Amino acid sequence: MLFRSRAGHYESATRTINLASGPVRLSPIESRLLEYLAARPGIAVPYAELLENVWGYRKEVQTRTVYVTMDRLRMRVELDPSRPDHLRAVPGVGYRFDERVVSAAGVVPSRLRRPERVVGRASLQAALTAELTQARVVTVVGPPGVGKTTLALAVATDAAPQERVMCDLTSARDAETLEAIVGIALGVGGGATPIPTALRARGRLLVLLDNAESLPTLAEHLDAWVEAAPDTRWLVTSRAPTHARSEVLVRIPPLDVEDGADLFEALAAGRSEVTLRREEVLALLRLLDGLPLAIEIAAARTMVRTPGELREQLDGRGVEALAGPVRGETALLRSLTASWEQLSEDACRLLGALSVFEAPFTLAAACAVSPLESALTVDRLEELIERSLVQGDRRRDPWRFSILLAIRTYAREHGVAEDLAHAERQRIRWCARWGSPERIAAFATARAGELHEEGTIEVPDLWSAAAAADGEDLVDIAIGLGEMLRTRGPFSPLLAVLDRHPPGVPAPRSGRPRRRCRRDRGPVGDAVAAYADRDRRGPRRDCPS
């Protein structure tokens, strides 16, 4: 059995959907459900019939299995799982397979409207507007959910007076569909007028190409259209560069915490009667990666929960922990899934391994936990950076890399189990290097300040690695933590780590850092108490204010 959907071709012999991003293999139960419905096009198949004939359950069994499997299947078969073309629900009955294929000629033109609110993007909007006066192709690049479309719409609608059109390329997987979408936006659908001719006839024109990451051949079309119509400006949003010859890249970072809190409060206003405490909102925002789409999801939950309660639910699990019928959730998960499926297999393996890091990491750390050999690790890391799935910080020496929590959580859940286990073991060994005799000796040299700065960045990984480590590794991590914390604490959690006397480790070796930790706790505690007492009593009268 072979059929074509808007997303790609399905082949029953291999249970494979051949997407533009590559083949995706369905599970046996997903394949049976799809084929059972596809064999009965246009017929509403009841839930009980599906349970009996696809799963082999008795008709009277009550389960949500059909709904869960259908949601997963739509993520693979449909271009937009929230608005399926083929796997249609029949309320109160079951599901129906619609065999119609929406042709490229049936594309509906996109409407270009200014977004209701744009928070924290004034400088980026000004930079994009300035670039469009000079460059012919400007591509806004950033991770899933960061607000690329919102920013591009704001720029396009506020641009200097000129004609502008928008093309949503979400459904475009090939050159034919791309040309149909652009042609319809230009008013020449059907191919009667070539697109270069139509562009030249429009004169000064701004074309917004939204969601362009699924078109590997877009650069060829842009190069040809730019040459044919030099007065046209192209504003593109994508998770990766198009590599057009005249392309200028503008990377859009996540919102900072304060701007994210402003957006959260604006979205929650009128939705909830819960009083929003700014400190709770700021604490919550630190778990949302600064992604506007994640902030939208969380703000929609404030009808019955405070930001503090949402933070407890999210802590360590990513925005997917806020499960429920919110529009943004489907969009964010769909973007993450699309990004994952467009990666090479080695890049997926590397991203899964790198998800063990909680703090920014170096290239050496990435190579230490990678399941790939070093040269391939570097190549695949470059792929992840280009795809906006790993962020690079070149301000530090050595350079540091980081992964947003939503991406890290997704990669951990979809990575190869053996790779993740290997990466976790290697991360523990990597963190244990802080307790090596060479490192400890270096803390007594002129490099102490540099080491403290480097170690402070890695403290979150040291704590989590200590919780999973044992033996000599545990002692080495605790020794390293002791060096980082000796001037500021906290000491009680470190003592708790050291009190887990590792079997097989000589008592003197684990006892020395324990005694040192207790010794350091006294002076630091006295200093903290003195500062607290001074703040309580206020400045002395004989001291200048």
Side-chain angles (χ1 to χ4, degrees):
M1 175 180 173
L2 173 73
F3 71 84
R4 176 187 180 93
S5 74
R6 285 183 67 194
H9 295 80
Y10 171 73
E11 297 178 7
S12 60
T14 57
R15 304 200 315 267
T16 300
I17 291 278
N18 294 298
L19 305 173
S21 56
V24 175
R25 198 156 189 255
L26 303 184
S27 69
I29 197 66
E30 290 169 347
S31 178
R32 287 201 298 271
L33 177 58
L34 177 59
E35 292 183 15
Y36 191 86
L37 290 170
R40 297 157 180 79
I43 298 173
V45 181
Y47 304 114
E49 181 180 335
L50 292 172
L51 283 170
E52 183 178 19
N53 293 295
V54 176
W55 277 268
Y57 292 171
R58 298 189 309 274
K59 289 186 178 181
E60 61 270 18
V61 170
Q62 298 293 316
T63 175
R64 289 184 54 81
T65 298
V66 178
Y67 307 105
V68 174
T69 306
M70 179 58 73
D71 285 345
R72 200 167 59 238
L73 186 57
R74 281 172 170 167
M75 291 292 295
R76 298 175 180 277
V77 173
E78 303 286 0
L79 282 178
D80 185 350
S82 63
R83 292 187 298 238
D85 293 308
H86 304 282
L87 300 170
R88 312 293 291 274
V90 182
V93 180
Y95 292 100
R96 181 185 76 242
F97 182 82
D98 191 341
E99 62 180 344
R100 69 188 176 92
V101 176
V102 181
S103 66
V107 174
V108 177
S110 301
R111 299 181 63 185
L112 201 156
R113 287 188 287 186
R114 197 183 197 288
E116 291 183 15
R117 56 177 64 84
V118 183
V119 176
R121 300 300 196 195
S123 59
L124 266 176
Q125 185 174 343
L128 267 175
T129 301
E131 289 287 3
L132 281 170
T133 63
Q134 304 294 327
R136 295 185 181 179
V137 179
V138 178
T139 302
V140 182
V141 176
V146 80
K148 300 181 289 293
T149 299
T150 298
L151 177 61
L153 282 170
V155 170
T157 52
D158 290 352
Q162 67 184 67
E163 194 176 0
R164 42 199 177 249
V165 296
M166 177 179 179
C167 305
D168 185 354
L169 302 183
T170 303
S171 61
R173 295 291 187 274
D174 50 41
E176 179 187 358
T177 310
L178 168 65
E179 292 177 0
I181 292 173
V182 175
I184 288 170
L186 296 174
V188 293
T193 303
I195 289 177
T197 303
L199 289 169
R200 284 193 296 270
R202 302 290 280 269
R204 284 178 51 80
L205 176 67
L206 174 62
V207 181
L208 169 55
L209 301 179
D210 194 28
N211 299 311
E213 51 274 333
S214 298
L215 278 165
T217 62
L218 178 59
E220 301 172 14
H221 289 81
L222 281 173
D223 290 340
W225 293 338
V226 164
E227 185 176 349
D231 290 335
T232 301
R233 294 293 182 265
W234 300 85
L235 178 57
V236 184
T237 71
S238 177
R239 292 188 288 272
T242 68
H243 298 296
R245 285 196 297 267
S246 54
E247 179 178 54
V248 172
L249 285 181
V250 176
R251 293 195 175 272
I252 173 171
L255 292 170
D256 64 36
V257 174
E258 291 290 342
D259 286 334
D262 291 341
L263 177 59
F264 180 90
E265 291 172 352
L267 291 168
R271 182 186 296 274
S272 170
E273 296 182 1
V274 175
T275 301
L276 300 179
R277 298 171 55 196
R278 184 72 174 188
E279 61 271 21
E280 284 191 353
V281 173
L282 291 173
L284 171 62
L285 262 293
R286 293 186 179 93
L287 298 179
L288 295 177
D289 296 326
L291 297 178
L293 194 51
I295 294 169
E296 178 185 343
I297 294 169
R301 300 296 179 204
T302 56
M303 294 181 69
V304 293
R305 278 172 283 186
T306 66
E309 292 169 334
L310 290 172
R311 186 184 187 282
E312 290 180 5
Q313 185 178 356
L314 276 169
D315 198 5
R317 294 197 292 161
V319 74
E320 291 181 17
L322 298 179
V326 178
R327 180 202 66 80
E329 288 176 35
T330 302
L332 182 57
L333 182 58
R334 188 167 65 247
S335 294
L336 290 170
T337 301
S339 295
W340 179 266
E341 291 179 347
Q342 288 166 2
L343 292 174
S344 65
E345 180 180 351
D346 285 338
C348 287
R349 294 184 66 195
L350 178 60
L351 185 58
L354 296 178
S355 70
V356 301
F357 286 114
E358 297 182 14
F361 54 89
T362 61
L363 177 59
C367 290
V369 304
S370 172
L372 314 173
E373 57 96 14
S374 295
L376 188 56
T377 295
V378 173
D379 289 344
R380 296 290 74 82
L381 182 58
E382 290 175 349
E383 179 183 344
L384 294 173
I385 293 171
E386 182 171 86
R387 289 278 173 184
S388 304
L389 295 172
V390 171
Q391 315 299 310
D393 183 358
R394 300 186 179 188
R395 295 170 298 176
R396 300 184 183 277
D397 185 18
W399 291 355
R400 292 270 170 175
F401 306 94
S402 60
I403 306 174
L404 298 177
L405 178 58
I407 297 172
R408 204 167 75 230
T409 304
Y410 187 95
R412 193 181 302 128
E413 291 177 353
H414 293 79
V416 178
E418 293 81 0
D419 290 346
L420 291 170
H422 170 268
E424 184 55 45
R425 289 193 300 270
Q426 293 302 110
R427 182 182 70 129
I428 290 173
R429 294 294 304 124
W430 178 258
C431 291
R433 81 195 193 284
W434 282 104
S436 68
E438 296 79 14
R439 282 280 170 131
I440 298 305
F443 275 104
T445 68
R447 291 188 59 215
E450 172 192 333
L451 288 172
H452 271 288
E453 181 180 357
E454 180 183 349
T456 299
I457 297 172
E458 296 186 20
V459 161
D461 276 310
L462 289 172
W463 279 121
S464 59
D470 56 20
E472 294 281 358
D473 287 339
L474 172 59
V475 174
D476 285 337
I477 293 170
I479 291 172
L481 274 169
E483 286 294 338
M484 307 301 163
L485 305 176
R486 62 183 304 191
T487 59
R488 67 181 188 277
F491 296 102
S492 295
L494 180 55
L495 282 169
V497 169
L498 289 167
D499 286 340
R500 289 168 47 204
H501 178 63
V505 178
R509 184 156 195 269
S510 60
R512 278 194 294 271
R514 188 183 298 110
R515 289 193 298 274
R516 182 174 181 177
C517 181
R518 289 198 173 99
R519 183 193 69 197
D520 291 339
R521 180 171 58 174
V524 172
D526 292 342
V528 171
Y531 275 109
D533 184 58
R534 187 194 67 179
D535 291 343
R536 185 170 57 254
R537 289 185 288 106
R540 289 171 48 186
R541 294 183 182 277
D542 57 345
C543 291
S545 58

